[in-house]
Amino acid sequence: MHLPSSTCLRILLPLVALNAGAETGPWPGRGPRVFAFYPRHGPSGTKVTLFGTQLDQVQGVALGQMNVSFLVQDARRVLFVVPPGAVSGRVLVRAAGRVLPSPGTFTV
């Protein structure tokens, strides 16, 4: 079975991001970073995983303008559930005194 290269890249991107952090370690002086999230769309109740580095420093997560409950799984993953009433928007992570926008938007 042959998949278009764009499909392959979309599937491999979170793994590449995680491997990059594992090989190079946290970037000194740059703080937490969000590389990707999955899935990119879903209704309320959808479990979303954020991928990045130093995410154990996360103090808050928002979907668009709505704060969401979250669970830090480890330094590279944070899980949240799309709440009822959420609308499409960027995932915003508050960590180390900064607000980190996600690459792309989540579509409800």
Side-chain angles (χ1 to χ4, degrees):
M1 180 174 159
H2 176 64
L3 296 175
S5 61
S6 62
T7 302
C8 293
L9 289 174
R10 204 170 310 153
I11 292 168
L12 295 176
L13 180 60
L15 298 176
V16 170
L18 290 175
N19 288 339
E23 292 171 9
T24 61
W27 295 321
R30 295 193 73 187
R33 293 185 51 126
V34 177
F35 292 117
F37 61 91
Y38 183 82
R40 308 248 336 150
H41 56 84
S44 68
T46 300
K47 294 178 183 175
V48 180
T49 302
L50 300 170
F51 300 95
T53 59
Q54 299 181 34
L55 296 180
D56 51 344
Q57 298 179 32
V58 168
Q59 300 162 323
V61 176
L63 175 54
Q65 299 297 315
M66 181 178 280
N67 289 327
V68 299
S69 298
F70 65 95
L71 174 66
V72 174
Q73 294 182 311
D74 56 41
R76 296 189 183 131
R77 295 177 300 159
V78 171
L79 174 72
F80 73 90
V81 177
V82 177
V87 296
S88 300
R90 285 200 111 137
V91 179
L92 304 172
V93 174
R94 186 169 43 89
R98 300 183 321 173
V99 174
L100 312 168
S102 65
T105 59
F106 184 87
T107 304
V108 179

